[in-house]
Amino acid sequence: GTVQGKWLGSRLRRLTCELFEHWADYRAGKISWAALRRRMAPVRRKMEALLLRGTQSDDADVRGTCRELHEHRQWLWTFLRHEGVEPTNNAGERSLRHAVIWRKLSFGTQSANGSRFVETMLTVIETCRQQRRNAFTFLTHAIEAHLAHRPAASLLPGA
């Protein structure tokens, strides 16, 4: 990469480390939600200024990446708008893990209907796992309710 690209990357990385230090303090209960948001304001300002600067880079890759991140910058800060949302995609990665393993072991499906079935089953299984419910019991009750023409239990919270 270019000297400018390396400089920009280094500064952005340093700010990202600062972001996760503040997040760690919040997660550990050392600071409040309001304090996290206050501490993140200058980090956010600096990061967005660097991204904007990167959109003017001589390096096309740096320019493109910075433009994409700057255009969608509000997504980067979702965790500051909604308490309970993390600044990582770890939960998403974890929830996809079983589907990735299933696909590797099964060689996929043979039809669009098969794909829809697998999508539905993997969603039900993952939702049950997150809610600490037994997926087999849930599915058994859902099928019994269907056969008896009764409404089935919902996986929606509070439903």
Side-chain angles (χ1 to χ4, degrees):
T2 62
V3 171
Q4 183 199 22
K6 287 180 181 170
W7 178 86
L8 199 64
S10 168
R11 299 290 292 268
L12 286 166
R13 188 177 187 287
R14 210 172 305 147
L15 286 168
T16 302
C17 289
E18 190 179 335
L19 178 160
F20 281 108
E21 285 169 17
H22 296 320
W23 179 255
D25 286 347
Y26 168 69
R27 287 288 302 267
K30 293 179 185 172
I31 62 170
S32 68
W33 171 248
L36 171 70
R37 294 180 70 180
R38 268 196 313 277
R39 285 188 186 184
M40 287 305 303
V43 174
R44 181 178 183 167
R45 275 194 306 275
K46 290 175 198 167
M47 198 172 277
E48 289 182 3
L50 285 169
L51 291 172
L52 191 57
R53 189 172 177 167
T55 65
Q56 305 304 310
S57 173
D58 297 335
D59 184 313
D61 289 336
V62 170
R63 208 169 43 244
T65 300
C66 288
R67 186 177 300 125
E68 186 78 15
L69 287 169
H70 191 265
E71 279 177 17
H72 303 294
R73 62 192 176 276
Q74 74 279 2
W75 298 344
L76 296 174
W77 311 107
T78 302
F79 73 100
L80 294 175
R81 284 193 307 277
H82 303 284
E83 196 168 1
V85 172
E86 297 196 20
T88 67
N89 66 346
N90 294 349
E93 295 283 345
R94 261 195 316 276
S95 69
L96 287 172
R97 190 168 171 270
H98 294 99
V100 170
I101 291 169
W102 176 87
R103 192 182 65 219
K104 270 184 164 169
L105 295 176
S106 70
F107 305 107
T109 60
Q110 303 301 309
S111 69
N113 284 344
S115 295
R116 296 304 79 76
F117 175 77
V118 169
E119 285 170 11
T120 303
M121 292 306 292
L122 290 172
T123 299
V124 168
I125 290 164
E126 179 58 24
T127 304
C128 285
R129 188 190 67 74
Q130 289 176 14
Q131 294 179 3
R132 293 178 174 75
R133 292 168 77 170
N134 182 302
F136 185 75
T137 302
F138 174 82
L139 287 167
T140 301
H141 290 164
I143 293 166
E144 286 171 349
H146 174 75
L147 293 173
H149 304 290
R150 291 189 326 260
S154 174
L155 281 173
L156 294 175

